[in-house]
Amino acid sequence: MKKASKVAFIAKPLAIAAVMAGACASAQAQTNVTIYGRIDAGINYQSNFTQRDSTGAVVARGGKWGVDGNEWGTSMFGFKGNEDLGGGLKAIFTLESGFDASNGQVNGGSGLWTRRSFVGLSGSAGTLKVGKDLAIQSDPIWALDPTGQQALSTATLVKERNWPQTNNMVSYESPSFGGFTATVMHGFGEAAGSFTKGVTPTTGPTNINNGSRDGISLAYVQPTYELRAIYDVQRDTNGQFSTLFASSKELTLGGTVTIDKLKLFAGYENLRAPSAAAGSPDRANHYWLGANYQITPALTLIGAAYHVNVNGGVGSANLFVLGGNYSLSKRTLLYATVGTIRNSSTSDFSVEYGTNGGAVGQNMNALYFGISHSF
């Protein structure tokens, strides 16, 4: 074989391999899938904790120590990805589940993807999602909360009203117009007669939105400040706003200002349940102020104060929080937080988020510290 022929013979398969490698690289560049998550666990103490049985009867009260997850942030794992469809348009998806690192149990009920499971499209005209996602107020509330939605946070004095997920949802987020964005979301109730006028066997014609959720979020974000407004409604299975901390109307307003190493927070939240039973609370006003101060690039100090006033004989409560975050790396964080709740003689809020632990007229203190690792 001539030398030139040998070179051509060798070069041809090499060229084919190079083209195939380039094609694979191009395909890989067009499709991207990421595995991500966070594991949070630490030691937790609450004073004057009221333990109840399944009927709500008090069985014990006193100091409670434990190893808990989800104090600083929710432990989670998930998959997210996108495919380049050309022309600036991408197909997107997210699958995400929360869990408690202290016992390995899944958060938020049954099923695998307890936090997010949606698919959608994203491009210059905005982002459309279909499936399950966190409630429309979750990310904005996180941005407005001095503690970043820890167990001592804006969720405490509204008994997690601003934390739920939205099933059967469709949402749209606009592109940014000079820092302004708008998001709208609807969660379908998926019951007969739940969107238009229907008929029930017992009451006849009805016009309700059984279990459905609607919301709108507006944000104006600049390098040194941001302003946010969120309005959402959550209906019960009868299409009513019957329970203040579950099925109600919620308006949240707030903002932040950053001055060098200091970031200031302020917020207001109003809850209304116009269909609540006579004598039950149907209105709450929630206020908060707070600050983050970055002492070093690794160490941030946190201070916050929250106040809620509820009608219907529930009364008021104040929550005061101090904490610190220390970053060992970009992915690993140490944290410590202390707080105290002061209930009025008629209120029963717990010092940490949720509905357990509090008792009417009882004050509580809390301390937790631990480690959070993201991947």
Side-chain angles (χ1 to χ4, degrees):
M1 183 180 292
K2 295 181 179 180
K3 184 175 182 180
S5 299
K6 289 182 178 180
V7 171
F9 180 79
I10 296 173
K12 188 173 181 179
L14 288 177
I16 295 173
V19 170
M20 293 179 65
C24 291
S26 176
Q28 188 174 16
Q30 291 176 354
T31 303
N32 176 45
V33 177
T34 301
I35 301 173
Y36 67 94
R38 178 172 62 210
I39 303 175
D40 167 59
I43 306 297
N44 183 20
Y45 170 76
Q46 297 180 57
S47 72
N48 208 19
F49 188 92
T50 302
Q51 187 172 340
R52 295 177 168 84
D53 61 20
S54 58
T55 66
V58 175
V59 295
R61 179 180 294 163
K64 175 188 174 185
W65 284 95
V67 172
D68 283 330
N70 305 326
E71 299 300 296
W72 183 85
T74 302
S75 296
M76 69 181 82
F77 68 94
F79 304 84
K80 61 182 177 181
N82 62 76
E83 179 189 11
D84 188 349
L85 301 176
L89 183 65
K90 293 182 179 180
I92 60 172
F93 78 89
T94 295
L95 299 170
E96 183 179 291
S97 186
F99 63 95
D100 186 341
S102 68
N103 55 27
Q105 293 183 0
V106 174
N107 295 337
S110 61
L112 179 57
W113 309 113
T114 58
R115 287 171 59 85
R116 295 180 169 101
S117 57
F118 63 77
V119 65
L121 296 171
S122 180
S124 60
T127 301
L128 177 70
K129 301 175 184 177
V130 182
K132 176 178 183 171
D133 201 358
L134 298 182
I136 195 169
Q137 71 270 43
S138 293
D139 287 343
I141 284 287
W142 185 94
L144 296 175
D145 194 326
T147 73
Q149 286 282 272
Q150 296 184 27
L152 301 167
S153 67
T154 57
T156 304
L157 297 183
V158 293
K159 301 187 177 182
E160 299 181 85
R161 171 62 177 84
N162 52 27
W163 270 11
Q165 290 79 36
T166 299
N167 294 325
N168 312 312
M169 72 87 202
V170 176
S171 71
Y172 167 77
E173 181 180 354
S174 75
S176 176
F177 299 100
F180 174 81
T181 57
T183 303
V184 293
M185 177 184 287
H186 175 69
F188 291 86
E190 296 195 342
S194 66
F195 194 74
T196 58
K197 194 170 184 179
V199 177
T200 67
T202 56
T203 62
T206 182
N207 191 3
I208 56 178
N209 287 276
N210 299 340
S212 66
R213 175 186 292 273
D214 292 290
I216 181 170
S217 173
L218 306 176
Y220 184 66
V221 180
Q222 296 297 313
T224 59
Y225 69 94
E226 62 184 298
L227 300 171
R228 295 180 181 271
I230 313 104
Y231 180 72
D232 85 284
V233 296
Q234 171 65 60
R235 301 170 181 87
D236 64 18
T237 55
N238 294 314
Q240 303 297 314
F241 304 108
S242 59
T243 309
L244 188 63
F245 297 118
S247 304
S248 57
K249 301 178 180 181
E250 178 185 42
L251 171 67
T252 304
L253 304 171
T256 69
V257 176
T258 301
I259 307 171
D260 194 20
K261 297 179 181 179
L262 177 67
K263 188 172 185 178
L264 302 174
F265 300 76
Y268 166 73
E269 183 177 5
N270 173 263
L271 297 177
R272 291 181 296 130
S275 304
S280 298
D282 64 4
R283 187 178 296 269
N285 289 298
H286 182 205
Y287 311 84
W288 65 89
L289 294 171
N292 289 180
Y293 187 76
Q294 191 176 40
I295 294 181
T296 70
L299 177 61
T300 299
L301 296 184
I302 299 167
Y306 307 84
H307 172 78
V308 71
N309 187 39
V310 186
N311 72 350
V314 173
S316 63
N318 295 306
L319 174 67
F320 303 101
V321 183
L322 290 174
N325 298 331
Y326 185 80
S327 298
L328 297 175
S329 68
K330 290 183 177 180
R331 297 188 297 170
T332 303
L333 177 84
L334 300 179
Y335 60 87
T337 304
V338 296
T340 183
I341 193 165
R342 301 293 159 179
N343 280 303
S344 68
S345 60
T346 54
S347 61
D348 65 349
F349 291 92
S350 175
V351 68
E352 296 186 11
Y353 66 86
T355 58
N356 297 321
V360 174
Q362 299 295 310
N363 300 325
M364 296 178 66
N365 303 314
L367 161 68
Y368 54 80
F369 52 90
I371 182 170
S372 177
H373 177 76
S374 301
F375 59 90

